[in-house]
Amino acid sequence: MSTLLVVLALVPLLGVVAATAALLAAQVRTERTSRQALEAVVVTGQVSAARSALAREVFLTSARTRLDDAAQRQRLGPAVVLALGSALPEDDLVGARRRTDTALAAAEAASAAGRAAAGVAADLVPLRTAVDVTRSWSAVAPGFGSLTSQLATAERLAVDDALAGGVGADVAGALLELRTATEAVALGSDEALEVLDGLVTADGAVAGRAARDAWASTAPLEVLEESPSRAVRERSAALLAASTGLRADAVAATRAAGGTPDRRLAPRLSALVEGLDDRSAGLTGLAATTSARAGALTRAETSSAHRDVVALGAGALLLCLLTGAAVLRTSVALGRPLQDLAAAAQQVGRGELLAVDVTGPREVRTVAEGLAATVASLRRLQEQARAVVAGELGSPVLAAPLPGPLGAVVHASVTELVQAMVDRDRLREDLTHRATHDSLTELPNRARAMELLDRALARSRRDGGVVGLLFVDLDRFKQVNDTAGHAAGDAVLRAVAARMREHLPAGGTACRLGGDEFLVVVEDAGDAQLLELAEALVDAVSAPVGFAGAEVAVGASVGVARTAGGTAGREELLAEADAAAYQAKQQGRGAGGGPAAPGGRGRVGFYDDDLRRRLTGARDLEEALARALRERELVLHYQAVVGLDPGGTTDAVTGYEALVRWQRPGHGLVPPSEFVPAAERSSLVCGLGRHVLLEATRQLARWSAGGGAAARRTVAVNVSGRHLVSHHLLQDVRDALEGSGLEPHRLVVEITETVLVDHALAHERLTALRALGVRVAIDDFGTGFTSIAQLRRLPADVLKVDRSLAAADDPASAELVRLVVGAARTFDLAVVAEGVETPAQLDALRAASCDAVQGYLLHRPCPPGAEAPEVEAGGAAVREPAPEGTARDVGAPPGASSGTAPRAPRPRPAPPETVTTTAPTTPRRAGGR
């Protein structure tokens, strides 16, 4: 049975596939090549005919245009002109042009050569027009030569395309003869033009070239004399003989034409022109003969290849029929068993793992047994796949391998797949945890916190429950980072997170928002419970944390907010808790808004109706202040700064401090203590500072316009920390100085001592201001954390002693003032004392050699009048400008206003590199990482 199957099926099929495919492909290629060669031969003949016609037109055009030239006719003489004219064909130029157009139109435009002929036809029109208009051959000769060359190139390319296809030897020889014949035609046309040019122009150089031993066109003709075609050989021999005679006539004629022409030259020239024309016609005929021969051989080869393809196809068809008959006979013997086996295989292929019947001949049974074993293995694999899909990765089915080497590979693949799924699940859990939890504290992160809060609020809206939110903000965390390092800060954050988890009630969740901010979400807890939890968190967080053999401690400010029945959204609840934490932090700071003491415990703030009203009022105040800046409701009051004379006889005003007031509609004059903090909390403080800079410098410029002492005085402007570190400050100062025309050294920028501690860019900005020529004063000196030893590093020109030191009556304070004055003189700084209210204070400051003073004893802040404020010597009396419809003074509280009275400009010390503080402050949100 196996031998029969091999003989009847395998051998015939292999024979049909191998032999038929190879032979048929070869014959088809041969036929296609022959057809392409035939097409190329046809195109070559068409283009060759077109080129011959164009060459004849060129020859006639050259002859006619030259004979029409008056100078040429006079030089040649009437007899020669008449002879040359009579030698030209009767149809003359019109007929030549008509034949050229016909030949060019006959070329097939589908081929490259045909497209070249079409291009030549288009380019020929303007050349003919130029000939008819100018009657000059020299103007158009290059153009005609270019067109002839294009057609010659197209001929060569067409022949090369035919040869490139791999034609037979006979066809290849005929194509080579065709290319040689076309070359002879081209050379003959060029020689005819050259001879004509020598005859007409009598050019010696042309005559020399025409007199060479042999013309170039004879070389191709000598090659064609060896052609297998008798017709080609005979035509080539005849043309060679004609070329020999024409060459002798051309040499004699051109030599005679170079001398003085006479009547004897005319008959010879006429015969030469007729001979050249006949020779061109003969070359054209030779090309046509070679083209016809190449076409005949190519058609014969194409027909032969076509017959071979048909014969081979018929043989292949017959072989297929015989093979089909054998297969049909075999199918009768195998019949039903193979059909059943095929049907079973199709069902298995569709995924139906059915039982396979093992029946039929031995070969069929063998195949059926193999298919049955395959079905059994697939069933085992199906069970394993179901276990994997169901997630039963520990099922015993997965541990049983399939039989055979393939089973071992499949089992290894299943094992790897199971392990990969286990690893994927583990990795997914880990990534999910990392995406929703803080890597340092393992608490839920901000994104997870927002999700948990949204869920809690959704449950509250659905069930009418309560959601409590605790905003925990660490105090003094930045100090831990700065003093003990970030590793200590990390330890503190981990300890805080652990302690918060320990104090959470059931259902409560602690989250880290980032930096030193935490959030606790509690559901169904009353106000008392929330406050109790907040106090517990403050106590837990405030406990010291051991690190590197030492202890570090932070505090906590906790803001509590709650919502019931879904009355507030997530953002609103967060804002309320944040506001409550901010209020708690502000209440926990030291006097004057400084940081809480290092051992401070922290505070708890609850967002209630009172806080809501205060925040609403603050928001309204900010909006009104923004409107005040737009409507120019802010005005400046000025307090004189008086320079002290040790003898008390020549005290005089050396400058002023500009203090901002708000002329608020419906409220009257508002002091800065009520609106400056609101500006500090918002971005309005930079606009406020810009307004004060512009108005103060302009007012001082107006006072200085009259000359005198006012032209030497200064004006001091307080600049907030936010404005100082903004990138607008330097430009604002430049704009104020340029707008007022004030000299830079007459502007004094005042900053508080705490700004140097709270803002890292403060030193850089102050150094840049001094580089502009502006003077810098440190306000409220003595209330911050700057040591006297650091004065030499401060980027400042003036120290302003705080009123708490200047107004003190105890000997220790007086000694401290003298110490500050002495240290300031050591570092070339001027000293101004603030808050002088009694003659005794003034005498004490004079005895301490203070440079200048300001205070209510000498001058109260007042609006600008027509003249600058003056103070009499000794400070016994005060002269003030008349008020301009406003209150004379608003009674600014101590610390709400300050003044600066610098002495004459001193050489400035080098800018400081660093400033060291004894106890750095911790502004809200500081220390976040």
Side-chain angles (χ1 to χ4, degrees), residues 62 66 137 192-203 206 209:
S62 175
R66 292 173 186 274
W137 172 248
L193 286 175
E194 188 176 48
V195 170
L196 179 62
D197 191 54
L199 291 174
V200 176
T201 62
D203 188 328
V206 175
R209 286 194 300 270

Side-chain angles (χ1 to χ4, degrees), residues 183-193 215-217 276 279-280 283:
E183 290 177 359
V185 173
L187 292 172
S189 300
D190 294 341
E191 290 163 356
L193 286 175
W215 286 1
S217 61
L276 289 173
R279 181 174 175 272
S280 297
L283 290 173

Side-chain angles (χ1 to χ4, degrees), residues 569-645:
R570 182 186 74 185
E571 299 301 329
E572 182 180 354
L573 190 61
L574 276 171
E576 292 176 355
D578 184 43
Y582 179 74
Q583 291 297 318
K585 184 177 285 287
Q586 291 299 107
Q587 294 170 4
R589 291 183 179 271
R601 172 181 171 276
R603 289 177 179 268
V604 175
F606 198 93
Y607 191 87
D608 52 14
D609 292 338
D610 179 62
L611 179 56
R612 182 179 292 105
R613 283 192 297 271
R614 282 189 283 129
L615 292 178
T616 302
R619 192 161 50 246
D620 294 342
L621 180 61
E622 290 181 10
E623 294 175 357
L625 185 56
R627 184 173 59 254
L629 282 171
R630 294 193 303 270
E631 303 297 333
R632 304 186 66 83
E633 298 173 2
L634 297 171
V635 296
L636 298 186
H637 285 194
Y638 297 87
Q639 185 177 33
V641 179
V642 180
L644 295 182
D645 176 60

Side-chain angles (χ1 to χ4, degrees), residues 671-715:
S673 60
E674 296 185 14
F675 66 86
V676 170
E680 287 280 4
R681 291 192 299 268
S682 67
S683 60
L684 298 175
V685 70
C686 295
L688 180 61
R690 187 179 304 112
H691 171 76
V692 175
L693 281 168
L694 292 172
E695 291 299 323
T697 52
R698 290 173 183 171
Q699 181 60 52
L700 186 61
R702 286 193 290 268
W703 282 335
S704 302
R712 297 186 299 273
R713 293 170 184 164
T714 62
V715 64

Side-chain angles (χ1 to χ4, degrees), residues 415-622:
T415 303
E416 290 292 333
L417 177 62
V418 170
Q419 186 60 42
M421 294 178 66
V422 172
D423 295 340
R424 182 203 61 188
D425 294 341
R426 187 182 300 112
L427 179 60
R428 180 183 296 170
E429 294 175 359
D430 183 60
L431 291 176
T432 302
H433 180 80
R434 289 177 180 273
T436 57
H437 287 74
D438 176 54
S439 60
L440 179 63
T441 62
E442 292 300 322
L443 292 178
N445 58 15
R446 175 183 288 273
R448 181 61 174 168
M450 298 301 103
E451 181 182 347
L452 294 174
L453 183 56
D454 286 339
R455 292 180 181 179
L457 290 174
R459 287 191 292 268
S460 172
R461 286 189 291 270
R462 184 189 62 210
D463 303 332
V466 177
V467 176
L469 191 64
L470 281 69
F471 195 104
V472 182
D473 188 5
L474 302 186
D475 298 330
R476 302 184 304 281
F477 182 70
K478 182 178 184 299
Q479 181 179 346
V480 172
N481 275 339
D482 294 341
T483 57
H486 287 278
D490 292 344
V492 168
L493 292 175
R494 285 192 291 267
V496 167
R499 294 171 184 177
M500 291 178 67
R501 278 193 291 261
E502 292 175 358
H503 288 80
L504 288 177
T509 305
C511 310
R512 184 189 178 196
L513 295 183
D516 58 353
E517 296 176 346
F518 296 84
L519 204 66
V520 177
V521 181
V522 182
E523 297 184 57
D524 298 327
D527 294 352
Q529 293 173 301
L530 293 175
L531 289 174
E532 182 181 354
L533 175 60
E535 293 287 350
L537 291 178
V538 169
D539 292 338
V541 171
S542 302
V545 177
F547 178 77
E551 289 187 345
V552 293
V554 296
S557 297
V558 181
V560 182
R562 63 183 294 275
T563 180
T567 58
R570 182 186 74 185
E571 299 301 329
E572 182 180 354
L573 190 61
L574 276 171
E576 292 176 355
D578 184 43
Y582 179 74
Q583 291 297 318
K585 184 177 285 287
Q586 291 299 107
Q587 294 170 4
R589 291 183 179 271
R601 172 181 171 276
R603 289 177 179 268
V604 175
F606 198 93
Y607 191 87
D608 52 14
D609 292 338
D610 179 62
L611 179 56
R612 182 179 292 105
R613 283 192 297 271
R614 282 189 283 129
L615 292 178
T616 302
R619 192 161 50 246
D620 294 342
L621 180 61
E622 290 181 10

